[in-house]
Amino acid sequence: LLSREDLKKLVDKVKETSPTVVDELIPNVLTMGTLHRVLALLLEERVPITNLTRILESLANHAALTKDPVELAERVRTDQGRAICDRFRDEQGRIHAVVLDPRLEAELRRAIHDKQLALEPARLERLMVRLANEWRKANARGQEIALLTDTALRRAVRQALARALPDLAVVAYPEVPNNLLLEPVAMLRLEDVSGVRADEVGLAEPAAGKAQPAWQPALAGAGVN
């Protein structure tokens, strides 16, 4: 995706206009190798790196806390939220996304072990099938959609889906800017993955007004259509 020589040329270009951020970050705080890995992780998920100055500034803010490229890439994603979400905006400025109900999010969190989503194969397959169907329907409408998840789930879910659904972006709630409208195109529920109806396990939907979908409080302050 990005060679070391390409990276050096990009950093040298940034240094022409923003020498301070480069000198403060490289190599004393962050090595070129770590920077290369962070940018590769971003590019793998189609996160634009054209504004490298802003990415380096973000890394300068976070590199004192961690040197792990994966963790740094996740933190940069939050700072680059607008650039990430722009591809999902329609002409009315709405972001189209698939959201998860609270019970399914809790189930997925319980299935994370060693930062990997260790979901039973049958359940993972049902999750992939449902997401693939929603992605195909959106594609037929000419829409790009994302799967919206809890921050703690984002990378593990993305890794689990990457091989089967490489074009489906997984976006964490904090990556969505507060002034953008969110329009859910579908909500995935626990029974969609478990294969058991909610009423069969005593998990019938709560009465109206008794509960909020997980994405509503997480996006407090954002416009939700």
Side-chain angles (χ1 to χ4, degrees), residues 65-188:
L65 302 175
T66 179
K67 298 297 190 293
D68 178 26
V70 172
E71 179 63 26
L72 286 171
E74 292 301 301
R75 292 173 183 243
V76 169
R77 285 182 59 96
T78 300
D79 294 340
Q80 293 285 98
R82 184 169 296 280
I84 290 172
C85 292
D86 271 348
R87 61 185 265 220
F88 309 113
R89 296 173 61 186
D90 62 16
E91 295 178 354
Q92 289 74 43
R94 298 172 301 182
I95 297 174
H96 299 272
V98 176
V99 297
L100 307 176
D101 86 351
R103 295 172 297 119
L104 179 53
E105 284 206 328
E107 180 81 1
L108 295 179
R109 279 194 294 269
R110 286 192 292 269
I112 292 180
H113 299 286
D114 296 326
K115 299 183 180 181
Q116 302 290 321
L117 185 64
L119 201 62
E120 296 172 11
R123 291 189 171 198
L124 180 59
E125 183 178 0
R126 282 191 285 266
L127 176 64
M128 288 179 175
V129 168
R130 179 66 195 278
L131 287 170
N133 288 338
E134 294 300 335
W135 183 85
R136 281 193 291 267
K137 287 190 288 186
N139 192 52
R141 296 191 299 267
Q143 290 178 345
E144 277 215 63
I145 63 170
L147 171 62
L148 193 62
T149 73
D150 183 283
T151 301
L153 289 173
R154 197 210 74 80
R155 179 151 183 84
V157 170
R158 163 64 187 174
Q159 287 181 304
L161 300 176
R163 186 180 295 273
L165 295 168
D167 294 323
L168 177 64
V170 182
V171 176
Y173 305 131
E175 295 169 9
V176 181
N178 287 340
N179 62 345
L180 296 183
L181 294 173
L182 170 67
E183 178 152 314
V185 297
M187 176 181 283
L188 269 61

Side-chain angles (χ1 to χ4, degrees), residues 22 29 45 57 69 93 95 111-112 136 148-149 152 154 164 191-192 200 203 220 224:
V22 175
V29 178
E45 298 193 51
E57 289 172 347
I95 297 174
I112 292 180
R136 281 193 291 267
L148 193 62
T149 73
R154 197 210 74 80
E191 50 269 27
D192 294 330
E200 290 180 328
L203 290 174
V224 178

